[in-house]
Amino acid sequence: MNSTDTSRTKDKAFRILGISTTVGCVLILAVFIGFIIYQGMERLSWEFLVSLPSRFAEQSGIYTAWIGTLWVLVLTTLISFPLGVGAGIYLEEYGKKNKLAKFLEINIANLAGVPSVIYGLLGLEAFVRIMKMGNSILAGSLTLALLILPIIIVSTREAISAVPSSIRDASNALGASKWQTIWHQILPASFGGILTGVILALSRAVGETAPLIVVGALAYVPFAPQGPMDEFTVLPIQIFNWVSRPQHEFVINAAAAIIVLLFITFLMNGIAVYLRNRWQNKMNW
C-alpha cells in the first residue's frame, strides 16, 4: 500500500468516525429531549403557564418564573446591545492597532470563557452591595449583561471585519465621513451578523442560573414582578427548585418548565439563523 492509499484510508476512517460521533451525540440529545417531553407534556397547559408557584404540585405553575425571565431578558438586551455593539464598532473602526489593542482583544476573548459564577460574584459585590440594588431584576440583568458583553463585542467585530474593504473605499471616495460610512454602509451590511451574535448571546443568558443565584434571585416568589427593582425568579431557578424536591409530581412540573425553556431557546436560535440568512441574501457584494 503506497502513501496515497494510506492517506485515503485515513480520510475514510476519519470520516466514518466523525459521522458516528455526530450521530451518537444527536441520538443521545434526542433521547434526553424525548424523555423530558414524555414526562412534561402531561403537565403542560395554559393553567400551568398562568398559575403561581405552590407547595402543592398539581396547583403549582411557572407564571412568576417566566414573567421574571421576560423582565431579565428585556433589560439585559437594553443594557448589553448598545454597549456591546458600540464597543465592537470602536475597537474595529476607531481603535489603533497597537499592543494595547491586542491586549484588549485577548482579554475580551478570554472573558467570554470565564465561568458564569465569577460574573455572579462580581454582580453581587458591584450591583447588590456597593450600588445597593438588592435582589432586584436590575441587578440580575446587569450581571447577565456583563456575562454576554464579551460575546457581543467579539461577534460585532467579526461581522464588521467581514464587510469588504471596497465598500469603505467607495464611501470614502464619494466624500463621506468615517461615521457616515459606518452608519450608512458598514452597519447595514454587517447587521445580520451582529444581530445573530446578540441573539445567541441572549439565548445563553436565558439558561444561566449560577450568576442569578449568587446575586440573590429567589427560588420562591409568590408574586409577578412589576418593575426592575422587584425581587424575582427565573425559569432555570424554578426548575432547580422543583428537581431538588423528593416528590415525583414536582419532577413532572420541572420537565414541563424545561420544555418551555427549550422552546424559548430554540425560538431565539431559529430567529438568529433566519435573520442571518435573510441578511446574507440581501447583501450582494
Side-chain angles (χ1 to χ4, degrees), residues 11-206:
D11 290 341
K12 186 177 181 180
F14 182 77
R15 187 182 302 111
I16 295 173
L17 178 63
I19 294 174
S20 302
T21 305
T22 304
V23 172
C25 293
V26 172
L27 287 176
I28 293 173
L29 181 62
V31 169
F32 283 143
I33 294 178
F35 180 72
I36 290 171
I37 294 175
Y38 172 76
Q39 271 201 321
M41 281 302 294
E42 63 179 88
R43 184 71 180 90
L44 196 61
S45 63
W46 179 251
E47 288 74 17
F48 180 72
L49 295 176
V50 298
S51 298
L52 296 174
S54 171
R55 58 186 178 135
F56 302 105
E58 297 78 7
Q59 302 174 8
S60 188
I62 59 170
Y63 180 68
T64 58
W66 75 261
I67 290 294
T69 299
L70 184 61
W71 267 101
V72 170
L73 185 61
V74 171
L75 285 180
T76 301
T77 304
L78 294 177
I79 296 167
S80 61
F81 181 78
L83 291 178
V85 174
I89 292 172
Y90 174 79
L91 292 173
E92 187 65 29
E93 294 293 333
Y94 290 97
K96 296 180 179 179
K97 308 300 180 183
N98 50 27
K99 292 184 178 179
L100 178 60
K102 188 173 294 185
F103 176 77
L104 289 175
E105 290 176 12
I106 294 173
N107 280 275
I108 290 172
N110 289 336
L111 285 174
V114 171
S116 59
V117 69
I118 304 299
Y119 287 98
L121 294 172
L122 176 62
L124 175 65
E125 184 63 28
F127 306 128
V128 176
R129 295 176 179 172
I130 296 177
M131 301 180 68
K132 300 188 182 304
M133 294 182 181
N135 307 331
S136 64
I137 295 175
L138 183 58
S141 299
L142 287 168
T143 302
L144 290 181
L146 289 178
L147 172 66
I148 65 175
L149 266 178
I151 304 173
I152 296 177
I153 293 172
V154 171
S155 62
T156 299
R157 295 193 63 186
E158 291 294 330
I160 292 176
S161 63
V163 178
S165 58
S166 58
I167 294 181
R168 296 178 177 84
D169 297 337
S171 180
N172 293 330
L174 292 174
S177 65
K178 189 175 187 64
W179 175 245
Q180 287 175 327
T181 300
I182 293 172
W183 183 256
H184 294 288
Q185 303 298 329
I186 304 302
L187 283 182
S190 61
F191 193 69
I194 293 173
L195 203 57
T196 300
V198 171
I199 294 175
L200 293 178
L202 289 172
S203 66
R204 178 193 174 184
V206 167

